[in-house]
Amino acid sequence: MSLTANGLLADLGITDARIHLNPGVDELYRHAIRLGEGVQAATGPLTVRTDKTGRSPKDRFIVEDDLTRDTVWWEGFNHPTTPAVFDGLREKMIRHAQHSELFVQQVFAGTDPEQRIAVRMVTEMAYHSLFVRNMFVRPTPEELQDFQAGWTVLNLPSFKADPAVDGVRSETFILVNFTEKMILVGGTQYAGENKKGIFGVLNFLLPGRGVMPMHCSANVGEGGDVALFFGLSGTGKTTLSADPSRKLIGDDEHGWTDTGIFNFEGGCYAKVINLNPEAEPAIYRTTRTYGTVLENVVLGEDGTPDLNDGSLTENTRSAYPITQIDNIQPGSVAGHPKNVVFLTADAFGVLPPLSRLTPEQTMYQFISGFTAKIPGTEQGVTEPSPTFSACFGAPFMPRHPGEYARLLAQKVQDSGAAVWLVNTGWTGGMYGQGKRMSIAHTRALINAALNGALDDVPFEREPFFNLEIPTTVPGVPDEVLNPRAAWADQQAYDETARKLARMFRDNFRRFEAGVDPAVTACMPDPDQQG
Ligand code: ATP
Ligand code: MN
């Protein structure tokens, strides 16, 4: 317990809790183990199990009030709630927190001092406190001296809502209040809520200042050329940005200002299921490093992580400070991007491994935000399921997708960045027949694009999506480049491509009214011949 923490949460009405202020790694390991949250793996990381093993987007609410009524897009994942619901749950949570033990981390979201927000992360779980310490930007000792929190997150997994009286959907809730500058989280131990909650805050605030907030990873080459990698979960943002030949800026959330790119975070949150040490050495090393948090990774009898064990969840994660990666960009800020890559993991095996987008196609693909998941364990489901998530991150984007799309289009135009669509999903057939693209091929394709090796090669047009595909790429067999040619059965390809084209069209209908006709004209055409 820290005496300096006395009164730290008095403004919330928490006057009598045991508060640990800014505890360090050793201390948090001790507390997490004492509280039974987890154990130390033989390879070093603090290893924990959580009740929820992923985010709960349906249980996330934004308080509707004068600030948000006309600025938030009340569709999709942005569910409205009232100030009264917020106040009621806050009061109950504060009662729950009195006399308890709490961990407080004072951190920044944003590496750019002009754009960042100061956040007070109040957590019940010691491991959340370590997660926050790893994932956010840690203030210097000087910055801590007069730290003034702009935002507060109160995260109490053991507090469960009563949907019958509390005005929420289930025991689990994430309530965001922009006026009070506060996020309440209850009923879930999944640590990702801490980071994605604050991400949503920046995504609301920054467009008002002309700054584009983005669900993307970023890295920078030897010559200073910056690349962004947008994509939904599992498409490869973390994997592909950790390229040993380029400096990592960040793996998930960035802002684009008038001067360039900055990371929102100070750490990375990597999927580690079936991680291959040869293909992803940098991320693999983090699973063998003290200070890392491993979530829902199963340990073998000797205490070593078994990365191939998905028995708790396929969404096993490693959360580590970015400094665990060797080749990083100091300060996690850089200039304007030269290349922007949209990643999609198309389990239909239809989209080309790499194609070049026009400005209109850029907006069309950005608003569509497509990826496709492999069939789950549900009985009778054998086809991939499409996901369309606007801005490649609809659950985190409080404003209308068109607002973000216009900002991005403007930034891309001003910087002259080239935009690429990369399919890290299936090739040679849909899931079940084909196989997942090799990481080596994806990397070779991306490197060719980033290094300018595609500037002078001929491109051909694919008919259904009207995408431009390079006919030859150094280090990649030609037959991989054109998805139709990669399928054994070309008729089956055409049928699947038509089906996917129709899905794209159906999804885009609700955006048509809000975009330029030239963007709508980029819809794929299912009536084309293969
Ligand atoms: P999240 O938003 O959830 O953090 P992400 O976009 O960062 O997701 P990754 O963590 O990089 O996604 O996950 C990509 C997964 O796909 C990894 O497990 C990686 O090993 C695997 N993978 C297989 N083939 C490829 C490929 N060709 N390119 C990229 N990743 C691949
Ligand atoms: Mn990631």
Side-chain angles (χ1 to χ4, degrees):
M1 178 162 72
S2 165
L3 286 176
T4 56
N6 273 350
L8 187 72
L9 304 179
D11 60 307
L12 299 180
I14 301 176
T15 49
D16 194 20
R18 282 187 63 196
I19 299 168
H20 305 273
L21 178 60
N22 297 322
V25 178
D26 294 353
E27 213 180 327
L28 289 168
Y29 265 59
R30 276 201 303 279
H31 291 303
I33 292 164
R34 169 177 61 84
L35 294 168
E37 296 173 9
V39 298
Q40 182 172 350
T43 54
L46 178 65
T47 306
V48 299
R49 286 186 184 195
T50 59
D51 48 12
K52 294 263 159 63
T53 56
R55 281 179 304 100
S56 306
K58 290 186 181 141
D59 294 305
R60 170 180 167 273
F61 298 88
I62 298 175
V63 174
E64 182 176 359
D65 59 16
D66 289 346
L67 187 57
T68 56
R69 193 164 297 115
D70 302 323
T71 44
V72 167
W73 187 53
W74 300 109
E75 279 188 41
F77 294 94
N78 297 322
H79 313 115
T81 190
T82 62
V85 163
F86 183 89
D87 291 344
L89 276 167
R90 174 168 58 182
E91 205 170 296
K92 282 190 178 181
M93 286 180 85
I94 284 163
R95 237 178 292 144
H96 188 86
Q98 279 284 37
H99 317 298
S100 72
E101 185 173 5
L102 295 171
F103 301 87
V104 178
Q105 294 285 353
Q106 295 169 314
V107 291
F108 294 118
T111 53
D112 180 338
E114 288 192 12
Q115 306 298 341
R116 73 190 179 192
I117 55 174
V119 187
R120 171 172 65 166
M121 283 280 183
V122 186
T123 67
E124 175 180 49
M125 299 186 80
Y127 114 78
H128 278 191
S129 202
L130 181 57
F131 176 89
V132 162
R133 212 183 146 78
N134 285 354
M135 293 302 303
F136 283 79
V137 179
R138 283 211 301 280
T140 62
E142 297 77 60
E143 288 168 336
L144 272 181
Q145 301 233 302
D146 48 41
F147 189 91
Q148 295 291 332
W151 275 76
T152 298
V153 177
L154 179 60
N155 189 335
L156 308 177
S158 76
F159 177 86
K160 294 177 176 22
D162 179 353
V165 298
D166 291 327
V168 289
R169 206 184 131 265
S170 76
E171 288 187 335
T172 304
F173 59 91
I174 299 99
L175 302 186
V176 186
N177 190 326
F178 282 99
T179 301
E180 304 266 335
K181 297 192 167 76
M182 192 167 190
I183 300 178
L184 304 176
V185 185
T188 172
Q189 297 177 335
Y190 186 67
E193 302 288 8
N194 293 302
K195 84 176 207 106
K196 283 300 201 295
I198 289 297
F199 185 40
V201 169
L202 286 168
N203 292 339
F204 179 74
L205 298 177
L206 295 183
R209 310 178 195 160
V211 177
M212 172 70 187
M214 305 174 290
H215 188 214
C216 71
S217 60
N219 64 21
V220 49
E222 289 294 333
D225 68 295
V226 173
L228 304 181
F229 303 86
F230 286 84
L232 290 164
S233 187
T235 57
K237 293 184 298 299
T238 300
T239 303
L240 298 169
S241 58
D243 179 332
S245 68
R246 299 174 62 86
K247 289 191 170 72
L248 180 65
I249 302 171
D251 83 323
D252 200 53
E253 309 170 358
H254 292 83
W256 189 345
T257 67
D258 287 344
T259 54
I261 299 301
F262 71 99
N263 193 354
F264 290 172
E265 304 183 283
C268 306
Y269 194 32
K271 284 180 192 297
V272 292
I273 191 75
N274 303 326
L275 201 64
N276 176 334
E278 273 83 53
E280 302 178 59
I283 298 172
Y284 183 78
R285 265 199 307 278
T286 70
T287 68
R288 329 203 111 227
T289 304
Y290 179 77
T292 293
V293 174
L294 285 183
E295 255 187 348
N296 299 309
V297 170
V298 175
L299 299 181
E301 269 175 29
D302 60 354
T304 309
D306 181 355
L307 301 180
N308 299 319
D309 190 332
S311 59
L312 296 176
T313 175
E314 288 286 309
N315 189 27
T316 57
R317 294 268 178 168
S318 175
Y320 48 91
I322 195 167
T323 47
Q324 280 197 23
I325 302 289
D326 282 339
N327 202 11
I328 57 173
Q329 169 79 345
S332 286
V333 291
H336 290 295
K338 189 171 170 220
N339 288 280
V340 173
V341 179
F342 293 165
L343 302 171
T344 177
D346 172 18
F348 291 99
V350 164
L351 293 175
L354 178 125
S355 51
R356 187 166 61 188
L357 302 181
T358 66
E360 291 76 25
Q361 286 178 328
T362 298
M363 283 185 84
Y364 178 76
Q365 290 294 338
F366 184 71
I367 292 172
S368 295
F370 168 74
T371 194
K373 297 202 184 91
I374 60 172
T377 46
E378 223 172 301
Q379 274 229 316
V381 180
T382 53
E383 295 243 315
S385 58
T387 305
F388 291 95
S389 185
C391 314
F392 297 104
F396 327 118
M397 299 298 180
R399 293 172 184 265
H400 190 284
E403 219 176 306
Y404 299 104
R406 276 188 292 276
L407 244 180
L408 180 68
Q410 191 62 51
K411 298 265 181 207
V412 166
Q413 197 191 337
D414 292 349
S415 66
V419 186
W420 311 88
L421 179 66
V422 168
N423 178 7
T424 64
W426 270 252
T427 176
M430 74 157 86
Y431 174 81
Q433 281 108 49
K435 58 178 187 356
R436 185 138 188 205
M437 209 78 67
S438 81
I439 295 182
H441 282 164
T442 299
R443 277 200 201 282
L445 289 164
I446 289 175
N447 283 333
L450 303 192
N451 297 338
L454 303 185
D455 291 354
D456 304 314
V457 309
F459 280 67
E460 60 179 342
R461 261 186 203 284
E462 156 285 325
F464 298 104
F465 290 77
N466 202 25
L467 294 167
E468 270 193 304
I469 309 173
T471 50
T472 172
V473 175
V476 183
D478 285 354
E479 59 271 21
V480 172
L481 300 177
N482 187 311
R484 188 168 191 261
W487 280 47
D489 180 348
Q490 260 110 52
Q491 228 170 325
Y493 174 83
D494 292 344
E495 271 166 40
T496 311
R498 287 195 183 101
K499 188 172 1 174
L500 186 61
R502 279 191 287 271
M503 290 173 177
F504 264 81
R505 294 180 76 90
D506 288 345
N507 169 68
F508 204 75
R509 270 194 202 116
R510 65 196 169 116
F511 300 111
E512 254 177 79
V515 302
D516 201 79
V519 176
T520 303
C522 298
M523 288 210 285
D525 183 357
D527 298 327
Q528 284 293 321
Q529 297 304 312

